[in-house]
Amino acid sequence: MEIRQIECFLACQEHRSFTAAARSLNLVQSAVSTSVAKLERELGARLFDRTPRGLELTDAGRAAVMPARNMLRARLEIADGIDRARGQVRGEVVIGNLMNIHTLDLASVIADLRGRYPEVTLQMRQDISGVSGNIAGLRDGSLEIALVAGVSTEIAGLRLYPISSESIVLCTAPGHPLAGRPFGAADLDGIRFIDFAPGWGIRGIADDLFPARRSVIEVADQIFALELAAKDFGVLLVPRSVAETTDATVFAERAGAPIPWHLAIAHDAQRTPSNAARTVIDALCRCRRE
C-alpha cells in the first residue's frame, strides 16, 4: 500500500470523480483510477460504486476514510517534526473559512504569510452550512484549522483561540416599526424575518431566541440579506461589524443584554497543529481589524 494510493482514494472521496480528483492532485485521470483500483485489489474490497451520479463510497470505503486520513496525517507529522527541529515553516494548511468576516483583515493576513513563509500553502474551504460545517470538518479531520463563531467561547472537543468579540444586532429598513430601537423576543413574534441556512451560527441564535419569527426567505449571503432588509422585505440578525458596512439599513441591540458573537480560530483538541498551522493561528490572532 502506497501513500499515493491513499491520496488518490481520499481525493476521489472528496470530489466524487476520477477526473476532478486527478485535477486536484495534478495527475492524469488514468493514474488516479489505476491507483484506486490497485488499492481495492490490495484490500480485497470495492471502495467506490461507479454510478451515473459519480463515485459513491461503499460501506468498505466509508470505513476506510478515517484510517486513510490518519495515515496521511502521520506522514505529515513526521515531516513537520523534522521541519520544526530545523526551524522551518512549510507545508499545506487546510483552513475552513466563514463568509462576511469584518473584524479580521483576512486578505492581509494571507498576503503577509505568503511574503514571510513562501513554502506555506493555504487551502481555503467554505462550507455552505457555515459554522457547523467547519466544526464537522475539524472533527472528521478534513480541516486542520477553521474559523468558528457563536455566542459561546467554548465548543466541545475543540481548542479555540479568540480573535474578536462583538454583538449581534437586528437590521431593518429605516421606516420599519422596529427601526433603531432595542428589541426583545416578543417584538419579533410574527415579524417577516430573513433567515440564513441551517447550520449557520446566526441561524442557530434565531432558532433559539426568536422561535416565533416568521421566516420568509433563507439566504447564504449577509450582504444580499442586508439589501433585502433595506427594501423592507424583512428584518435580520447580523454581527454589528456587518451591519456597519451599509447606511441603507438601521440596527439595534437586543434590549437588556446584547447578544454576544465571538470569532475564533480552532482545531481539534485531540490533534496537535502542524508547525505551519500553528503559524497561521498566531497570525490570525494578531491581526484583528481595528
Side-chain angles (χ1 to χ4, degrees), residues 3 10 14 31 58 64 119 222 234 238 264:
I3 289 295
L10 289 175
E14 179 180 355
T58 62
E119 293 186 85
Q222 292 178 354
V238 293

Side-chain angles (χ1 to χ4, degrees), residues 174-221:
H176 193 279
L178 294 176
R181 67 180 183 85
F183 64 96
D187 293 318
L188 297 187
D189 288 357
I191 294 293
R192 290 176 59 88
F193 198 90
I194 302 167
D195 260 322
F196 298 108
W200 282 43
I202 294 178
R203 172 62 180 268
I205 290 173
D207 288 344
D208 290 342
L209 299 182
F210 310 108
R213 71 194 188 284
R214 181 159 67 96
S215 180
V216 292
I217 192 172
E218 286 184 7
V219 299
D221 184 334

